[in-house]
Amino acid sequence: MKETCDKLGVKVIAFSPIGQGLLTEGLSDEKWASNKAAKIMRLKREELTRLRAVVLELAQKYKKSMAQVALNWCIQHDVIPLVGCRTPQQARDSVGCLGWSLSIEDVKKLDEVALDKSTLDSPFWRRMFFVSLFAIVMVTCRFLDFLGFGSVVPIK
């Protein structure tokens, strides 16, 4: 997919590049138990051990957080990481992934231990359900906007 996007000049956006906290220092047993990304992908905690170890090793090497390493890894692959910032630390991590680069060797090291799983591995019916749900929400928003109940205000 990435090759085709590159040929067409389309940028790929990484949704949930730190796995809703899976690739951060703050992953506790409690956070693991409630992590939606892990549940959707049917991950076992052991499957993340090697990846988390390498991300932590590189975070220490570069004096960055694990999240900053994971986000920079996306950038090194010319992928735009889509991040959410609910706390000041998350905002610092988002900005802190810029202005430096993982070495080619370190990118390869992460590539070697990266999971070969994707949310696209989930059953077709589940993916279509979410796509359909998203489409319904978008159509509803457009309709409400058309009726004058929307919150989109044109720029003057």
Side-chain angles (χ1 to χ4, degrees):
M1 180 178 87
K2 175 93 171 60
E3 285 179 25
T4 302
C5 288
D6 288 343
K7 287 177 188 173
L8 296 172
V10 174
K11 291 289 186 183
V12 174
I13 297 176
F15 178 77
S16 193
I18 57 173
Q20 298 177 357
L22 294 177
L23 298 179
T24 66
E25 290 89 345
L27 182 63
S28 63
D29 289 338
E30 181 182 324
K31 288 181 180 177
W32 170 261
S34 64
N35 188 285
K36 291 177 187 170
K39 288 178 183 177
I40 289 170
M41 294 175 61
R42 295 187 182 104
L43 283 176
K44 295 181 180 79
R45 196 159 183 170
E46 314 79 69
E47 293 178 279
L48 287 177
T49 303
R50 285 184 55 219
L51 176 58
R52 285 182 50 81
V54 172
V55 173
L56 179 60
E57 172 193 325
L58 295 176
Q60 292 167 346
K61 174 182 175 180
Y62 288 94
K63 295 182 176 46
K64 301 290 182 182
S65 70
M66 289 176 69
Q68 290 169 339
V69 169
L71 295 173
N72 192 273
W73 181 31
C74 292
I75 292 168
Q76 297 313 308
H77 283 289
D78 201 26
V79 170
I80 301 168
L82 180 62
V83 295
C85 298
R86 291 187 210 126
T87 68
Q89 182 57 46
Q90 290 173 342
R92 283 189 288 276
D93 283 336
S94 296
V95 173
C97 74
L98 303 171
W100 64 280
S101 297
L102 291 164
S103 70
I104 293 169
E105 295 80 23
D106 290 336
V107 171
K108 287 180 183 175
K109 186 186 273 191
L110 283 168
D111 290 345
E112 289 171 8
V113 296
L115 298 179
D116 60 355
K117 288 189 172 190
S118 166
T119 53
L120 296 176
D121 294 334
S122 62
F124 180 76
W125 68 266
R126 183 177 289 163
R127 293 191 317 253
M128 287 301 99
F129 172 76
F130 285 110
V131 168
S132 301
L133 185 62
F134 182 74
I136 291 168
V137 168
M138 291 303 298
V139 168
T140 303
C141 289
R142 289 281 195 180
F143 183 66
L144 290 173
D145 191 45
F146 174 76
L147 294 176
F149 295 108
S151 60
V152 178
V153 179
I155 298 175
K156 296 179 183 178

